[in-house]
Amino acid sequence: MKTLILIRHGKSDWSAGVPDKERPLNKRGLRNCPLMGNILQREGLIPERMYVSSAKRTTQTAQSISKILGTPQNKIISCPELYLCDPFTIDEIITFTPPKYNCIAIVGHNPALSQIAGQYSQQSYVDLPTLGVFAISFKTDSWEKISSDNATKQQFLYPKLFE
């Protein structure tokens, strides 16, 4: 069994006046990260490895959540290719994950994350809000063999459900 956790970054600060890639989380984004980290922990959704877009807001999201989950720093992989990527890039990263990891997280951006969630849950599109988490389990022992045919939606969580 493999579990994929898709995590969209938290609310970002558009008033920061910096290039998109350097945009940080805003106060709400910073506040909601520990909330979602605690919810992931409570739900048993604890990734053994996290692939994170190199954007500042995704890095901040991953660092905050990983502190709650106890994810070792060497298991948080910065992936510049995840920044504003297409779904194919996410699929490649997942496919090349070593089989020893049974639960991984991708921390990134829309629309690609919503498209991947839709693809594996056999929905046309899943509207993943900021700090939204979409977890999918696959009945397989290899990341190369995951597909919508062996996928089961496990959780769809986001901060407004808990405020």
Side-chain angles (χ1 to χ4, degrees):
M1 181 79 74
K2 301 293 183 191
T3 301
L4 172 63
I5 306 168
L6 303 171
I7 305 171
R8 185 175 172 199
H9 62 79
K11 285 268 186 208
S12 60
D13 186 358
W14 286 89
S15 69
V18 295
D20 182 73
K21 194 170 184 178
E22 298 303 317
R23 195 162 14 103
L25 294 176
N26 67 15
K27 288 179 185 177
R28 182 174 166 190
L30 291 167
R31 183 181 69 241
N32 284 339
C33 284
L35 167 71
M36 292 310 291
N38 284 316
I39 291 165
L40 287 169
Q41 187 172 56
R42 184 188 75 209
E43 296 296 321
L45 294 170
I46 302 172
E48 299 162 282
R49 178 176 264 199
M50 297 175 85
Y51 296 101
V52 183
S53 161
S54 57
K56 185 169 187 171
R57 59 193 177 274
T58 50
T59 301
Q60 287 179 299
T61 299
Q63 291 295 329
S64 180
I65 289 173
S66 69
K67 284 180 187 173
I68 305 277
L69 299 177
T71 308
Q73 288 299 303
N74 67 341
K75 301 298 180 186
I76 302 170
I77 312 300
S78 180
C79 297
E81 60 273 25
L82 281 174
Y83 176 66
L84 304 181
C85 70
D86 58 28
F88 178 76
T89 301
I90 295 173
D91 273 334
E92 279 190 324
I93 290 169
I94 295 166
T95 299
F96 289 108
T97 296
K100 68 180 181 178
Y101 298 108
N102 291 314
C103 182
I104 64 169
I106 304 286
V107 184
H109 312 269
N110 267 351
L113 286 180
S114 286
Q115 291 166 334
I116 287 288
Q119 172 186 318
Y120 287 124
S121 64
Q122 297 184 349
Q123 300 174 42
S124 59
Y125 186 80
V126 171
D127 188 14
L128 197 61
T130 51
L131 255 175
V133 172
F134 196 90
I136 311 152
S137 294
F138 300 91
K139 292 179 184 162
T140 183
D141 60 355
S142 169
W143 289 106
E144 295 174 342
K145 296 178 184 174
I146 67 169
S147 74
S148 59
D149 293 333
N150 61 17
T152 304
K153 181 180 98 173
Q154 191 172 337
Q155 298 282 345
F156 184 20
L157 308 164
Y158 46 94
K160 285 191 178 182
L161 288 174
F162 305 95
E163 291 178 337

